[in-house]
Amino acid sequence: QMSDAALGNILLIISCLSFCYYTAWVIMLLFSDPDHAINRVFPPVHYALLVPASTGLAFAGTVTVQSLH
């Protein structure tokens, strides 16, 4: 059984790594040439807006549905 502190540390590390990857993805692709090698590491830039927007909509929809019940 994992303690709450260990689980919290794992979730914190995952969140920080995800934030750093996303920030690098958005910033690096804005300032790189379309044929640069860095473009092979990251998905296309339009996903940078699509992923957080769809996640936010799903979260807001879940909260709304749960608050109605």
Side-chain angles (χ1 to χ4, degrees):
Q1 187 71 12
M2 187 181 298
S3 70
D4 288 343
L7 181 62
N9 285 334
I10 290 171
L11 291 175
L12 180 64
I13 290 169
I14 290 171
S15 297
C16 288
L17 289 175
S18 299
F19 178 76
C20 290
Y21 178 83
Y22 181 78
T23 302
W25 174 22
V26 171
I27 290 174
M28 286 179 156
L29 289 185
L30 284 177
F31 297 111
S32 68
D33 293 329
D35 57 344
H36 194 271
I38 197 74
N39 289 324
R40 289 188 300 232
V41 178
F42 298 106
V45 130
H46 65 272
Y47 289 124
L49 297 175
L50 183 66
V51 170
S54 59
T55 304
L57 284 174
F59 177 75
T62 303
V63 169
T64 303
V65 168
Q66 287 182 354
S67 70
L68 293 175
H69 292 306

Coordinates of all heavy atoms in Angstrom, one line a residue:
Q1 N 0.8 -1.2 0.0 CA 0.0 0.0 0.0 C 0.9 1.2 0.0 O 1.8 1.4 0.8 CB -0.9 0.0 1.2 CG -1.9 1.0 1.3 CD -3.0 0.8 0.2 OE1 -3.2 -0.2 -0.4 NE2 -3.8 1.8 0.0
M2 N 0.6 2.2 -0.9 CA 1.4 3.4 -1.0 C 0.8 4.5 -0.1 O -0.4 4.6 0.0 CB 1.3 3.9 -2.5 CG 2.3 5.0 -2.8 SD 2.2 5.6 -4.5 CE 2.8 4.2 -5.4
S3 N 1.7 5.2 0.6 CA 1.3 6.2 1.5 C 0.8 7.4 0.7 O 1.1 7.6 -0.5 CB 2.4 6.6 2.4 OG 3.4 7.3 1.7
D4 N 0.0 8.3 1.3 CA -0.5 9.5 0.7 C 0.6 10.4 0.3 O 0.6 11.1 -0.8 CB -1.5 10.2 1.6 CG -2.8 9.5 1.8 OD1 -3.1 8.6 0.9 OD2 -3.5 9.8 2.8
A5 N 1.7 10.5 1.1 CA 2.8 11.4 0.8 C 3.6 10.9 -0.5 O 3.9 11.7 -1.3 CB 3.8 11.4 2.0
A6 N 3.8 9.6 -0.6 CA 4.4 9.0 -1.7 C 3.6 9.2 -3.0 O 4.1 9.6 -4.1 CB 4.7 7.6 -1.6
L7 N 2.3 9.0 -2.9 CA 1.4 9.2 -4.0 C 1.4 10.7 -4.4 O 1.5 11.1 -5.6 CB 0.0 8.8 -3.7 CG -1.0 8.9 -4.8 CD1 -0.6 8.1 -6.1 CD2 -2.4 8.5 -4.3
G8 N 1.4 11.6 -3.5 CA 1.4 13.0 -3.7 C 2.7 13.4 -4.4 O 2.7 14.3 -5.3
N9 N 3.8 12.9 -4.0 CA 5.1 13.2 -4.6 C 5.1 12.7 -6.1 O 5.6 13.4 -7.0 CB 6.3 12.6 -3.8 CG 6.6 13.3 -2.6 OD1 6.3 14.5 -2.5 ND2 7.1 12.6 -1.6
I10 N 4.6 11.5 -6.3 CA 4.6 11.0 -7.7 C 3.7 11.9 -8.6 O 4.1 12.2 -9.7 CB 4.1 9.5 -7.7 CG1 5.2 8.6 -7.1 CG2 3.8 9.1 -9.1 CD1 4.7 7.2 -6.8
L11 N 2.5 12.2 -8.1 CA 1.7 13.1 -8.9 C 2.3 14.5 -9.1 O 2.1 15.1 -10.2 CB 0.3 13.2 -8.2 CG -0.5 12.0 -8.2 CD1 -1.8 12.2 -7.3 CD2 -0.9 11.5 -9.6
L12 N 3.0 15.0 -8.1 CA 3.7 16.3 -8.3 C 4.7 16.2 -9.3 O 4.9 17.1 -10.2 CB 4.3 16.7 -7.0 CG 5.0 18.1 -7.0 CD1 4.0 19.2 -7.3 CD2 5.7 18.3 -5.6
I13 N 5.5 15.1 -9.4 CA 6.6 15.0 -10.4 C 6.0 14.8 -11.8 O 6.4 15.5 -12.7 CB 7.4 13.8 -10.0 CG1 8.3 14.1 -8.8 CG2 8.3 13.4 -11.2 CD1 9.0 12.9 -8.2
I14 N 4.9 14.0 -11.9 CA 4.2 13.9 -13.2 C 3.7 15.2 -13.7 O 3.8 15.6 -14.8 CB 3.1 12.8 -13.1 CG1 3.8 11.4 -12.9 CG2 2.2 12.9 -14.3 CD1 2.8 10.3 -12.6
S15 N 3.1 16.0 -12.8 CA 2.5 17.3 -13.1 C 3.6 18.3 -13.6 O 3.5 19.0 -14.6 CB 1.8 17.9 -12.0 OG 0.7 17.1 -11.6
C16 N 4.7 18.3 -12.9 CA 5.8 19.2 -13.2 C 6.4 18.8 -14.5 O 6.7 19.7 -15.4 CB 6.9 19.2 -12.1 SG 6.4 20.0 -10.6
L17 N 6.6 17.5 -14.8 CA 7.2 17.1 -16.0 C 6.2 17.4 -17.2 O 6.7 17.8 -18.3 CB 7.5 15.6 -16.0 CG 8.7 15.2 -15.1 CD1 8.8 13.7 -15.1 CD2 10.0 15.8 -15.6
S18 N 5.0 17.2 -17.0 CA 4.0 17.5 -18.0 C 4.0 19.0 -18.3 O 3.9 19.4 -19.5 CB 2.6 17.1 -17.6 OG 2.5 15.7 -17.4
F19 N 4.0 19.8 -17.3 CA 4.0 21.3 -17.5 C 5.3 21.7 -18.3 O 5.2 22.5 -19.2 CB 4.0 22.0 -16.2 CG 4.0 23.5 -16.3 CD1 2.9 24.2 -16.7 CD2 5.2 24.2 -16.0 CE1 3.0 25.6 -16.9 CE2 5.3 25.5 -16.1 CZ 4.2 26.3 -16.6
C20 N 6.4 21.2 -17.9 CA 7.7 21.5 -18.6 C 7.7 21.1 -20.1 O 8.1 21.8 -20.9 CB 8.9 20.9 -17.9 SG 9.2 21.6 -16.3
Y21 N 7.2 19.9 -20.3 CA 7.1 19.4 -21.7 C 6.1 20.3 -22.5 O 6.4 20.7 -23.6 CB 6.6 17.9 -21.7 CG 6.4 17.4 -23.1 CD1 7.5 16.9 -23.8 CD2 5.2 17.4 -23.7 CE1 7.3 16.3 -25.1 CE2 5.0 16.9 -25.0 CZ 6.1 16.3 -25.7 OH 5.9 15.9 -26.9
Y22 N 5.0 20.6 -22.0 CA 4.0 21.4 -22.7 C 4.6 22.8 -23.0 O 4.4 23.3 -24.1 CB 2.7 21.5 -21.9 CG 1.6 22.3 -22.5 CD1 0.9 21.8 -23.6 CD2 1.4 23.7 -22.2 CE1 -0.1 22.6 -24.2 CE2 0.4 24.4 -22.8 CZ -0.3 23.8 -23.8 OH -1.2 24.6 -24.5
T23 N 5.2 23.4 -22.0 CA 5.8 24.7 -22.1 C 6.9 24.7 -23.2 O 6.9 25.6 -24.1 CB 6.4 25.2 -20.8 OG1 5.3 25.2 -19.8 CG2 6.9 26.6 -20.9
A24 N 7.7 23.7 -23.2 CA 8.8 23.6 -24.2 C 8.2 23.4 -25.5 O 8.6 23.9 -26.5 CB 9.7 22.4 -23.8
W25 N 7.1 22.6 -25.6 CA 6.5 22.3 -26.9 C 5.9 23.5 -27.5 O 6.2 23.8 -28.7 CB 5.3 21.3 -26.6 CG 4.4 20.9 -27.7 CD1 4.6 21.0 -29.0 CD2 3.1 20.4 -27.6 NE1 3.6 20.6 -29.8 CE2 2.6 20.2 -28.9 CE3 2.3 20.0 -26.5 CZ2 1.3 19.6 -29.1 CZ3 1.1 19.5 -26.7 CH2 0.6 19.3 -28.0
V26 N 5.2 24.3 -26.7 CA 4.6 25.6 -27.3 C 5.7 26.6 -27.6 O 5.6 27.2 -28.7 CB 3.6 26.1 -26.3 CG1 3.1 27.5 -26.7 CG2 2.4 25.1 -26.1
I27 N 6.6 26.8 -26.7 CA 7.6 27.9 -27.0 C 8.6 27.5 -28.1 O 8.9 28.3 -28.9 CB 8.3 28.2 -25.7 CG1 7.4 28.9 -24.7 CG2 9.5 29.1 -25.9 CD1 7.9 29.2 -23.4
M28 N 9.1 26.3 -28.0 CA 10.1 25.9 -29.0 C 9.5 25.8 -30.4 O 10.2 26.2 -31.4 CB 10.7 24.5 -28.7 CG 11.6 24.6 -27.5 SD 12.2 22.9 -27.2 CE 13.8 23.3 -26.4
L29 N 8.3 25.4 -30.6 CA 7.8 25.3 -31.9 C 7.4 26.6 -32.5 O 7.4 26.8 -33.7 CB 6.6 24.3 -32.0 CG 6.9 22.9 -31.8 CD1 5.6 22.0 -32.0 CD2 7.9 22.4 -32.8
L30 N 7.1 27.6 -31.6 CA 6.8 28.9 -32.1 C 8.0 29.6 -32.8 O 7.9 30.3 -33.8 CB 6.3 29.8 -31.0 CG 4.9 29.6 -30.6 CD1 4.6 30.5 -29.4 CD2 3.9 29.8 -31.7
F31 N 9.2 29.3 -32.3 CA 10.4 30.0 -32.7 C 11.3 29.1 -33.6 O 12.4 29.5 -33.9 CB 11.2 30.5 -31.5 CG 10.5 31.5 -30.7 CD1 10.0 31.2 -29.5 CD2 10.2 32.8 -31.3 CE1 9.3 32.2 -28.7 CE2 9.5 33.7 -30.5 CZ 9.0 33.4 -29.3
S32 N 10.8 27.9 -34.0 CA 11.7 27.1 -34.8 C 11.2 27.1 -36.3 O 10.0 27.3 -36.6 CB 11.7 25.6 -34.3 OG 10.4 25.0 -34.4
D33 N 12.1 26.7 -37.2 CA 11.7 26.6 -38.6 C 10.9 25.4 -38.8 O 11.0 24.4 -38.1 CB 12.9 26.6 -39.5 CG 13.7 27.9 -39.5 OD1 13.1 28.9 -39.3 OD2 15.0 27.8 -39.6
P34 N 10.0 25.4 -39.8 CA 9.1 24.2 -40.0 C 9.9 22.9 -40.3 O 9.5 21.8 -40.1 CB 8.2 24.6 -41.2 CG 8.2 26.1 -41.1 CD 9.6 26.5 -40.6
D35 N 11.1 23.1 -40.9 CA 11.9 21.9 -41.3 C 13.0 21.5 -40.3 O 13.8 20.7 -40.5 CB 12.5 22.1 -42.7 CG 13.4 23.3 -42.8 OD1 13.3 24.2 -41.9 OD2 14.1 23.4 -43.7
H36 N 13.0 22.2 -39.1 CA 13.9 21.9 -38.1 C 13.7 20.5 -37.4 O 12.6 20.0 -37.4 CB 13.9 23.0 -37.0 CG 15.1 23.0 -36.1 ND1 15.1 22.2 -35.0 CD2 16.3 23.6 -36.2 CE1 16.3 22.4 -34.4 NE2 17.0 23.3 -35.1
A37 N 14.8 19.9 -36.9 CA 14.7 18.6 -36.3 C 13.8 18.5 -35.1 O 13.2 17.5 -34.7 CB 16.1 18.0 -36.0
I38 N 13.6 19.6 -34.4 CA 12.8 19.7 -33.1 C 11.4 19.4 -33.4 O 10.7 18.9 -32.5 CB 13.0 21.0 -32.4 CG1 12.5 21.0 -31.0 CG2 12.2 22.1 -33.1 CD1 13.4 20.3 -30.1
N39 N 10.9 19.6 -34.6 CA 9.5 19.3 -35.0 C 9.2 17.8 -35.0 O 8.0 17.5 -35.0 CB 9.2 19.9 -36.4 CG 9.2 21.4 -36.3 OD1 8.7 22.0 -35.3 ND2 9.6 22.1 -37.3
R40 N 10.2 17.0 -35.0 CA 10.0 15.5 -35.0 C 9.7 15.1 -33.5 O 9.2 14.0 -33.3 CB 11.2 14.8 -35.6 CG 11.3 14.9 -37.1 CD 12.3 14.0 -37.6 NE 13.6 14.3 -37.0 CZ 14.7 14.6 -37.7 NH1 14.7 14.5 -39.0 NH2 15.8 14.9 -37.1
V41 N 10.2 15.8 -32.6 CA 10.0 15.5 -31.2 C 8.6 15.8 -30.6 O 8.1 15.0 -29.8 CB 11.1 16.2 -30.3 CG1 11.0 15.8 -28.8 CG2 12.5 15.8 -30.8
F42 N 8.0 16.8 -31.1 CA 6.8 17.3 -30.6 C 5.7 17.1 -31.6 O 5.9 17.2 -32.8 CB 6.8 18.8 -30.3 CG 7.8 19.1 -29.2 CD1 9.0 19.7 -29.4 CD2 7.5 18.8 -27.8 CE1 9.9 20.0 -28.4 CE2 8.4 19.1 -26.8 CZ 9.6 19.7 -27.1
P43 N 4.4 16.9 -31.2 CA 3.3 16.9 -32.1 C 3.1 18.3 -32.8 O 3.6 19.3 -32.3 CB 2.1 16.5 -31.2 CG 2.7 16.0 -30.0 CD 4.0 16.6 -29.8
P44 N 2.2 18.4 -33.8 CA 1.9 19.7 -34.4 C 1.4 20.7 -33.4 O 0.7 20.3 -32.4 CB 0.9 19.3 -35.4 CG 1.0 17.9 -35.7 CD 1.5 17.3 -34.5
V45 N 1.6 21.9 -33.6 CA 1.3 23.0 -32.7 C -0.2 23.1 -32.4 O -0.6 23.5 -31.4 CB 2.0 24.3 -33.1 CG1 1.0 25.4 -33.2 CG2 3.1 24.7 -32.2
H46 N -1.0 22.8 -33.4 CA -2.5 23.0 -33.2 C -3.0 22.1 -32.1 O -4.0 22.4 -31.5 CB -3.2 22.9 -34.5 CG -3.2 21.5 -35.1 ND1 -2.2 21.1 -36.0 CD2 -4.0 20.4 -35.0 CE1 -2.5 19.9 -36.4 NE2 -3.5 19.4 -35.8
Y47 N -2.3 21.0 -31.8 CA -2.7 20.1 -30.7 C -2.4 20.8 -29.4 O -3.0 20.4 -28.4 CB -2.0 18.8 -30.8 CG -2.4 17.9 -31.9 CD1 -1.5 17.4 -32.8 CD2 -3.8 17.5 -32.0 CE1 -2.0 16.6 -33.8 CE2 -4.2 16.7 -33.0 CZ -3.3 16.2 -33.9 OH -3.7 15.4 -35.0
A48 N -1.5 21.7 -29.3 CA -1.2 22.4 -28.1 C -2.4 23.2 -27.6 O -2.5 23.4 -26.4 CB 0.0 23.4 -28.3
L49 N -3.3 23.6 -28.4 CA -4.5 24.3 -28.0 C -5.7 23.3 -27.9 O -6.5 23.5 -27.0 CB -4.8 25.4 -29.0 CG -3.8 26.5 -29.1 CD1 -4.3 27.5 -30.1 CD2 -3.7 27.2 -27.7
L50 N -5.7 22.3 -28.7 CA -6.8 21.3 -28.7 C -6.8 20.5 -27.5 O -7.9 20.3 -26.9 CB -6.7 20.5 -30.0 CG -7.8 19.4 -30.2 CD1 -9.1 20.2 -30.4 CD2 -7.4 18.5 -31.3
V51 N -5.7 20.0 -27.0 CA -5.6 19.1 -25.9 C -6.1 19.8 -24.6 O -7.0 19.3 -23.9 CB -4.2 18.5 -25.7 CG1 -4.0 17.8 -24.4 CG2 -3.9 17.6 -26.9
P52 N -5.6 21.0 -24.2 CA -6.0 21.6 -23.0 C -7.5 22.1 -23.1 O -8.2 22.0 -22.1 CB -5.1 22.8 -22.8 CG -4.0 22.7 -23.7 CD -4.4 21.7 -24.7
A53 N -7.9 22.5 -24.3 CA -9.3 23.0 -24.4 C -10.3 21.8 -24.2 O -11.3 21.9 -23.6 CB -9.5 23.6 -25.8
S54 N -10.0 20.7 -24.9 CA -10.9 19.5 -24.7 C -10.8 19.0 -23.3 O -11.9 18.5 -22.8 CB -10.5 18.4 -25.7 OG -9.2 18.0 -25.5
T55 N -9.7 19.0 -22.7 CA -9.6 18.5 -21.3 C -10.4 19.4 -20.4 O -11.1 19.0 -19.5 CB -8.1 18.5 -20.8 OG1 -7.4 17.6 -21.7 CG2 -8.0 17.9 -19.4
G56 N -10.3 20.7 -20.6 CA -11.1 21.7 -19.8 C -12.6 21.6 -20.0 O -13.3 21.6 -19.0
L57 N -13.0 21.4 -21.2 CA -14.4 21.2 -21.5 C -14.9 19.9 -20.9 O -16.0 19.9 -20.3 CB -14.7 21.1 -23.0 CG -14.6 22.5 -23.7 CD1 -14.7 22.3 -25.2 CD2 -15.7 23.4 -23.2
A58 N -14.1 18.8 -20.9 CA -14.6 17.6 -20.3 C -14.7 17.7 -18.8 O -15.6 17.2 -18.1 CB -13.6 16.5 -20.6
F59 N -13.7 18.4 -18.2 CA -13.8 18.7 -16.7 C -15.0 19.5 -16.4 O -15.7 19.2 -15.4 CB -12.5 19.3 -16.3 CG -12.5 19.7 -14.8 CD1 -12.3 18.7 -13.9 CD2 -12.6 21.0 -14.4 CE1 -12.3 19.0 -12.5 CE2 -12.6 21.3 -13.1 CZ -12.5 20.3 -12.1
A60 N -15.2 20.6 -17.1 CA -16.3 21.5 -16.8 C -17.7 20.7 -17.0 O -18.6 20.9 -16.2 CB -16.3 22.7 -17.7
G61 N -17.7 19.9 -18.0 CA -19.0 19.1 -18.2 C -19.2 18.1 -17.1 O -20.3 17.9 -16.7
T62 N -18.1 17.5 -16.7 CA -18.3 16.5 -15.6 C -18.7 17.2 -14.3 O -19.6 16.7 -13.6 CB -16.9 15.8 -15.3 OG1 -16.5 15.2 -16.5 CG2 -17.0 14.8 -14.2
V63 N -18.1 18.3 -14.0 CA -18.5 19.1 -12.8 C -20.0 19.5 -12.9 O -20.7 19.5 -11.9 CB -17.6 20.3 -12.6 CG1 -18.1 21.2 -11.5 CG2 -16.2 19.8 -12.2
T64 N -20.4 20.0 -14.1 CA -21.7 20.5 -14.3 C -22.8 19.3 -14.1 O -23.8 19.5 -13.4 CB -21.9 21.1 -15.7 OG1 -21.0 22.2 -15.8 CG2 -23.3 21.6 -15.9
V65 N -22.5 18.2 -14.7 CA -23.4 17.1 -14.6 C -23.5 16.5 -13.2 O -24.6 16.3 -12.7 CB -22.9 15.9 -15.6 CG1 -23.7 14.6 -15.3 CG2 -23.1 16.4 -17.0
Q66 N -22.4 16.5 -12.5 CA -22.4 16.0 -11.1 C -23.1 17.0 -10.2 O -23.7 16.6 -9.2 CB -21.0 15.8 -10.6 CG -20.3 14.5 -11.2 CD -19.0 14.2 -10.7 OE1 -18.4 15.0 -9.9 NE2 -18.4 13.1 -11.1
S67 N -23.0 18.3 -10.5 CA -23.7 19.3 -9.6 C -25.2 19.3 -9.8 O -25.9 19.7 -8.9 CB -23.1 20.7 -9.8 OG -23.5 21.1 -11.1
L68 N -25.6 18.8 -11.0 CA -27.1 18.7 -11.2 C -27.7 17.5 -10.5 O -28.9 17.5 -10.3 CB -27.3 18.7 -12.7 CG -27.0 19.9 -13.5 CD1 -27.2 19.7 -15.0 CD2 -27.8 21.1 -13.0
H69 N -26.9 16.5 -10.2 CA -27.5 15.3 -9.6 C -27.4 15.4 -8.1 O -27.0 15.7 -7.3 CB -26.8 14.1 -10.1 CG -27.1 13.8 -11.5 ND1 -28.4 13.7 -12.0 CD2 -26.3 13.5 -12.6 CE1 -28.4 13.4 -13.3 NE2 -27.1 13.3 -13.7

